[in-house]
């Protein structure tokens, strides 16, 4: 691997000091002169007609400045799947009917938050409850209540993927098994709840919105659609974000209603969700039913695979239709599957909608596929790591018409894992097991359902006379550390230090488009745009240096350590700062600028690059209580050239934390569409002391599509945690699981079932033994 | 070898099963309504496809398209 000055060096987060001292401003911290506070009145019914809304008493309450209902809104619908207009299904306030408990029906702006809350109690809404549907299998039945009138059988989206000859593959298999799963929902649980401040300037007709989002661009587009404004009249600013995890891609009613209230009152309006609203009305990981069929040869080679998914979409589309699409893709990775078929349907139901939570598409699907693979391995008498090695893809592997792996270190990851496991866990005690899971995940999505006409990512770099650099982009740091990565890439390309970089990120008025932080896209996509922009300036400086040095034109010059010099004669060079001054003088006094962009081309349907690897978890099962302890986690990861090892480690650890929570304790039980655990008292997440030790080993590769060879590091490692844990329990005691949350009562039940099955099996063998005598 | 044209749009496929895959991937009313004229239900075909292993939904539509889709000689 190439040695860089900045890339690959552990670098503290550039936002770290501001965050730990409390100086960093989040949208929740923003207070503007004369600002009002907004609150939303929400439906208590999962499905009901709105017969009437009387806001008169609320309007009379002192301090209330404005009350709106659906009829007071511009009525524009929005969504992230706007390429299909009928899937742009969100609206500011429900008009004809409500579709889930928490669907907003009215909004209030008042001088204080408390007055706004009181005003909500004074609004009288008359509903006519309608039959509701909560389960996706029920929802697609002919006689199911219709969540949206234009969608018969509540079919929101479908997806079919097929390659090879699947039926022939199964016919040729020595071993075929089928399994059915029910996978639970989970909440992203960001520390910072959804919140927005909107300020409309009646004089200019321009709207500014500060909001906690993963994509200022998406919010700008959606608000413009909802309010029927031009996109150029909507400015969205993303300050620091206190957690995203996929739950802040959609534009939510806080931003849109704050904007409407500001337009009506002429004053800034702030809306902050409380924790109950956050749990009950914002997006979560999609619950789903899955059915899998796998066919293998006796030696463990996969010859055919088929997957069916029915996902619980909830009331709206969000990025949930993308999740359906990706479920059918990531379930195949990182294995060679010659014959494959996937069918998925996303059903509208009367619950809050499921969407693109961290590792979307991969998390539920990998749980199912990897636990099934372990059962197949056991039946065939093959070691679980060996079956993964045997089927793992190699560089250049192409799933026909879908995706291609260019850099691909999975084989090396598995080999490294095999060696390290023997060293690390030479002995496995009674009731302990080691479970494995292979994984791969995209480095940004190629799909364009938002239908943007812009480059997927853009960046603008300006070099000032003193050598400092202003970097502008809409790319979003949502806590994953992209600001640091962006500064490192820009500094490396220009050969300067990150202390020379000033970041101006996440503001739609100051930068060209970037589609935001989702699908692990910022490092590769925004990184490429930054490198392109900075590279243009570097070239200008190199050209000037070549002129001034007068060296042989065949000699290569490099920008490093704040100098431009001959690569093979480092002593012959010029100061970066001196060159910048000369270049600006020569440029009629205009600062040096570069505008870079990136849009993937000819890279398949999914992503230009994939992070990948294998995870092992050692777990212990208490056979008396059913309690499962994840003792130790080992992950071997190919993230290409890692830009910031410190940040990458944080991302992997965070993913494992979320993944283990998904496997052990996080769930969203509902009764008639009502969430039963909408507080952290009842919604259990793992705490620091619950976390096992995590060892991360890297297998460096060079990804040709990424900046400096980089690819994703943020999400791939969430998917394998729950299946590796379930597989560890399976190895420890043979208990099988067909859903993800391994609560003690479930584990205990599975252990008892296994014991019963073993007894029956022993009994059935007994007569033949007697006969033998 | 003949190709087959979608009854509702310009899509051409070399096999009826591929044409059925195309057809059920369309979400517009025009495509869905034509199914009704053939005694088929969009929802029923999708359900057959996602609830059972195999290509049952597509095959049912492909059988209808065998009788109704126009043959074309363009590629």
């Amino acid at each position: 691997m190439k040695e860089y000055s900045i890339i690959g060096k552990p670098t503290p987060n550039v936002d770290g000091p501001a965050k730990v001292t409390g100086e960093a401003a989040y949208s929740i911290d923003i207070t503007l002169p004369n600002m009002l506070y907004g609150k939303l009145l929400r439906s208590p019914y999962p499905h009901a007609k709105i017969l009437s809304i009387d806001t008169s008493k609320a309007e009379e309450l002192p301090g209330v400045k404005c009350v709106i209902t659906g009829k007071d809104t511009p009525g524009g619908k929005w969504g992230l799947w706007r390429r299909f207009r009928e899937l742009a299904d969100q609206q500011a306030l429900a008009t004809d009917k409500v579709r889930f408990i928490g669907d907003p029906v009215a909004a209030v702006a008042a001088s204080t938050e408390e007055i706004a809350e009181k005003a909500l109690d004074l609004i009288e809404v008359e509903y006519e409850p309608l039959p509701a549907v909560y389960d996706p299998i029920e929802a697609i039945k002919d006689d199911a209540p219709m969540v949206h009138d234009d969608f018969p059988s509540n079919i929101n989206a479908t997806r079919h993927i097929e390659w090879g000859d699947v039926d022939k593959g199964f016919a040729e298999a020595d071993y075929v098994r089928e399994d059915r799963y029910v996978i639970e929902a989970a909440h992203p649980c960001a520390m910072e709840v959804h919140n927005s401040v909107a300020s409309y300037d009646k004089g200019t007709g321009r709207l500014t919105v500060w909001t906690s989002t993963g994509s200022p661009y998406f919010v700008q587009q959606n608000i413009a659609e909802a309010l029927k404004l031009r996109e150029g009249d909507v400015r969205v600013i993303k300050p620091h974000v206190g957690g995203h995890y996929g739950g802040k891609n959609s534009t939510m009613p806080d931003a849109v209603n704050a904007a409407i209230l500001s337009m009506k009152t002429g004053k800034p309006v702030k809306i902050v969700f409380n924790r109950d609203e956050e749990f009950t009305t914002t997006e979560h990981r999609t619950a789903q039913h899955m059915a899998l069929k796998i066919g293998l040869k006796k030696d463990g080679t996969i010859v055919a695979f088929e997957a069916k998914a029915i996902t619980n979409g909830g009331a709206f589309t969000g990025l949930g239709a993308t999740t359906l699409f990706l479920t059918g893709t990531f379930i195949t990775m990182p294995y060679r599957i010659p014959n494959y078929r996937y069918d998925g349907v996303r059903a509208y139901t009367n619950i809050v909608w499921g969407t693109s939570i961290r590792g979307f598409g991969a998390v539920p699907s990998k749980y199912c596929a990897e636990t099934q693979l372990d059962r197949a391995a056991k039946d065939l008498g093959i070691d679980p790591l060996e079956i993964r090695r045997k089927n793992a893809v190699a560089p250049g592997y192409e799933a026909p018409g879908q995706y291609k792996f260019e850099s691909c270190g999975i084989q090396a990851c598995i080999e490294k894992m095999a060696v390290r496991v023997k060293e690390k866990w030479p002995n496995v005690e009674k009731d302990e097991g080691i479970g494995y899971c292979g994984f791969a995940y995209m480095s940004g999505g190629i799909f364009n359902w938002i239908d943007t006409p812009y480059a997927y990512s853009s960046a603008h770099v300006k070099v000032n006379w003193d050598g400092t650099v202003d970097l502008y982009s809409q790319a979003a740091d949502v806590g994953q550390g992209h600001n640091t990565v962006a500064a490192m890439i820009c500094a490396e390309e220009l050969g300067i230090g990150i202390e020379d970089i000033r970041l101006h990120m996440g503001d739609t008025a100051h930068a060209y488009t970037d589609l935001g932080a989702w699908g692990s896209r910022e490092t590769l996509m925004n990184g490429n745009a930054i490198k392109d922009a900075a590279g243009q300036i570097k070239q200008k400086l190199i050209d000037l240096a070549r002129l001034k040095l007068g060296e042989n034109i065949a000699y290569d010059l490099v920008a490093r350590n704040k100098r431009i010099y001959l690569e093979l004669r480092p002593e012959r060079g010029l100061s970066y700062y001196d060159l910048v001054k000369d270049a600006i003088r020569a440029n009629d006094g205009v600062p040096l600028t570069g505008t870079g962009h990136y849009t993937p081309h000819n890279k398949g349907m999914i992503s230009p690059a994939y992070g990948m690897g294998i995870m092992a978890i050692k777990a212990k099962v208490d056979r008396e209580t059913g309690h499962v302890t994840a003792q130790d986690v080992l992950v071997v990861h190919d993230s290409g050239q890692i830009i910031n090892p410190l940040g990458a480690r944080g991302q992997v650890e965070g993913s494992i934390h979320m993944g283990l929570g998904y496997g052990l304790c996080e769930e969203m039980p509902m009764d008639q569409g009502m969430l039963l655990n909408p507080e952290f008292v009842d919604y259990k997440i793992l705490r620091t002391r619950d976390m096992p030790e995590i060892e991360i080993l890297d297998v460096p590769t060079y990804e040709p599509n990424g900046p400096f060879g980089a690819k994703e590091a943020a999400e791939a490692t969430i998917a394998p945690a729950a299946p590796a844990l379930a597989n560890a329990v399976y190895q420890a005691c043979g208990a099988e699981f067909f859903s993800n949350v391994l609560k003690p009562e479930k584990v205990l039940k599975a252990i008892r079932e296994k014991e019963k099955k073993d007894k029956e099996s022993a009994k059935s063998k007994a007569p033949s033994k007697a006969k033998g005598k | 070898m003949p190709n087959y044209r979608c009854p509702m749009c310009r899509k051409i496929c070399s096999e009826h099963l591929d044409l059925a895959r195309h057809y059920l991937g369309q979400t517009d009313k025009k495509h869905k309504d034509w199914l009704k004229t053939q005694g088929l239900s969009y929802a029923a075909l999708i359900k057959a496809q996602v609830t059972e292993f195999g290509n049952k939904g597509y095959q049912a539509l492909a059988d209808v398209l065998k009788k109704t889709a126009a043959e074309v000689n363009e590629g």
Side-chain angles (χ1 to χ4, degrees), chain A residues 281-335:
Chain A
T281 73
T282 70
E283 300 166 306
H284 57 256
R285 189 183 301 291
T286 310
Q288 61 195 61
H289 298 262
M290 290 205 79
L292 305 185
K293 183 176 177 182
I294 189 166
L296 303 99
K297 289 288 189 189
K298 278 179 192 163
D299 67 357
T301 305
I302 300 170
V303 289
F305 186 46
E306 184 166 7
K308 306 284 184 183
I310 304 175
T311 70
N312 195 344
F316 301 113
T317 302
L319 272 180
T322 314
T323 308
L324 182 80
F325 168 72
L326 294 174
T327 294
T329 301
F330 293 132
I331 197 169
T332 62
M333 295 180 184
Y335 304 118

Side-chain angles (χ1 to χ4, degrees), chain A residues 2-12 14 483-501 559-562 641-646 708:
Chain A
K2 194 174 170 184
E3 189 66 25
Y4 296 103
S5 303
I6 292 168
I7 301 296
K9 305 284 189 291
T11 304
V14 294
N483 281 349
T484 309
V485 165
M488 291 174 77
I489 288 172
C490 189
E492 180 72 48
E493 184 66 10
L494 286 168
I496 56 178
I498 58 171
E499 70 280 3
D500 295 318
I501 313 290
R560 203 169 294 156
N561 300 327
K562 304 181 182 183
Q641 166 65 58
I642 294 172
I643 301 288
N644 182 8
L646 210 55
F708 301 103

Side-chain angles (χ1 to χ4, degrees), chain B residues 2-63:
Chain B
N3 289 314
Y4 307 97
R5 187 191 295 277
C6 173
M8 287 293 105
C9 67
R10 296 168 62 86
K11 179 74 178 179
I12 291 169
C13 293
S14 60
E15 290 183 22
H16 291 104
L17 194 64
D18 283 341
L19 195 56
R21 286 187 187 117
H22 148 76
Y23 202 102
L24 289 179
Q26 309 310 302
T27 56
D28 58 282
K29 196 168 180 303
K30 191 174 74 170
H31 276 83
K32 285 179 184 170
D33 284 351
W34 180 82
L35 292 172
K36 287 182 198 159
T37 68
Q38 303 301 308
L40 296 170
S41 147
Y42 169 76
L45 292 171
I46 293 292
K47 273 180 262 183
Q49 190 65 26
V50 297
T51 54
E52 298 175 64
F53 291 116
N55 265 333
K56 292 193 172 58
Y58 291 131
Q59 195 56 58
L61 178 56
D63 291 344

Side-chain angles (χ1 to χ4, degrees), chain A residues 442-654:
Chain A
M442 63 182 160
S443 308
I446 285 172
F447 32 83
N448 183 18
W449 287 298
I450 190 74
D451 208 17
T452 184
Y454 298 115
Y456 280 24
S457 189
S458 317
H460 183 75
V461 174
K462 175 166 74 85
V463 178
N464 305 304
W465 191 77
D466 59 3
T468 58
V469 172
D470 288 297
L471 167 58
Y472 299 84
S473 178
Q474 285 184 23
D477 189 316
V478 290
Q480 87 280 40
H482 181 64
N483 281 349
T484 309
V485 165
M488 291 174 77
I489 288 172
C490 189
E492 180 72 48
E493 184 66 10
L494 286 168
I496 56 178
I498 58 171
E499 70 280 3
D500 295 318
I501 313 290
R502 307 281 174 270
L503 295 167
H504 310 271
M505 310 290 273
D507 183 338
T508 60
H510 286 170
Y512 298 140
T513 300
D514 175 274
L515 301 188
W518 52 271
S520 291
R521 61 184 299 288
E522 296 293 35
T523 294
L524 186 140
M525 296 203 177
N526 190 236
N528 276 333
I530 292 167
K531 189 167 184 292
D532 180 12
Q536 292 165 24
I537 297 168
K538 180 175 81 172
Q539 192 56 50
K540 288 175 192 169
L541 296 176
I542 283 177
D543 290 346
L544 181 61
R546 192 185 299 285
L547 189 71
K548 293 183 75 146
L549 289 167
E551 296 284 355
N552 185 335
I553 58 166
Y555 290 175
D556 292 321
L557 278 80
V558 294
R560 203 169 294 156
N561 300 327
K562 304 181 182 183
R563 293 175 70 240
I564 307 274
Y565 58 85
L566 268 64
E567 189 164 23
L568 299 176
R569 297 278 187 277
E571 70 280 6
R572 295 190 207 163
L574 297 164
S575 154
Y576 159 82
Y577 296 103
D578 292 342
L579 280 166
V580 165
K581 287 181 177 69
D582 289 345
I584 290 175
R585 275 184 201 286
N587 198 30
D588 203 20
V590 178
L592 306 178
T593 60
T595 300
H597 61 89
Y598 176 76
T599 302
H601 294 286
N602 299 316
K603 297 295 169 192
M605 299 278 286
I606 314 299
S607 179
Y610 303 86
M612 61 189 71
I614 184 146
M615 185 179 290
I617 294 181
K618 183 161 169 277
K620 186 175 177 70
V621 185
D622 185 328
R623 284 178 183 265
E624 294 304 313
T625 64
H627 185 79
V628 171
T629 307
Q631 297 174 309
D632 229 344
V633 179
L634 172 59
V635 57
V636 189
H637 195 193
D638 161 21
S639 292
Q641 166 65 58
I642 294 172
I643 301 288
N644 182 8
L646 210 55
R649 181 173 180 88
Q651 287 297 296
V652 172
E653 288 184 351

Side-chain angles (χ1 to χ4, degrees), chain A residues 1-200:
Chain A
M1 298 294 285
K2 194 174 170 184
E3 189 66 25
Y4 296 103
S5 303
I6 292 168
I7 301 296
K9 305 284 189 291
T11 304
N13 197 318
V14 294
D15 303 325
K19 285 184 175 175
V20 299
T21 55
E23 284 175 14
Y26 297 75
S27 49
I28 210 163
D29 297 320
I30 288 169
T31 303
L32 299 176
N34 301 315
M35 191 172 79
L36 302 175
Y37 296 85
K39 281 284 169 189
L40 303 178
L41 180 67
R42 297 178 177 279
S43 165
Y45 294 101
H47 199 197
K49 265 189 198 167
I50 300 170
L51 299 179
S52 66
I53 305 178
D54 183 351
T55 60
S56 55
K57 286 180 190 163
E59 285 165 22
E60 286 166 12
L61 186 70
V64 170
K65 305 297 178 190
C66 184
V67 184
I68 57 169
T69 65
K71 67 178 170 42
D72 303 311
T73 69
K77 288 193 170 185
W78 75 87
L80 299 179
W81 267 60
R82 62 181 186 180
R83 194 172 184 85
F84 298 91
R85 286 310 309 178
E86 67 276 17
L87 296 182
D89 49 15
Q90 286 179 256
Q91 55 191 132
L93 298 167
T95 48
D96 54 343
K97 66 174 186 175
V98 291
R99 295 179 171 84
F100 70 98
I101 293 173
D103 209 354
V105 295
V108 173
S111 51
T112 69
E113 209 168 356
E114 292 72 23
I115 294 171
E117 285 273 13
K118 274 185 195 164
L120 295 185
D121 294 337
L122 299 174
I123 299 172
E124 292 170 7
V125 186
E126 194 183 349
Y127 295 99
E128 179 189 320
L130 297 169
V133 63
Y134 313 106
D135 182 85
I137 291 181
E138 294 300 315
I140 61 173
K141 288 183 177 166
D142 290 334
D143 57 352
M146 283 170 72
V147 179
H148 291 267
D149 294 341
D150 295 336
F151 289 82
S153 295
N154 297 306
I155 293 173
N156 164 252
T158 64
R159 187 72 191 171
H160 175 78
I161 303 170
E162 187 163 351
W163 67 73
D165 187 334
V166 181
D167 298 329
K168 188 165 171 268
F170 280 121
E172 289 171 0
D174 297 321
Y175 171 92
V176 176
R177 71 171 294 135
E178 296 177 9
D179 293 291
R180 289 178 187 272
Y181 293 82
V182 181
I183 300 296
E184 303 282 343
H187 201 273
C189 295
M191 265 201 293
E192 184 195 24
V193 293
H194 283 74
N195 69 95
S196 298
V197 176
S199 181
Y200 182 68

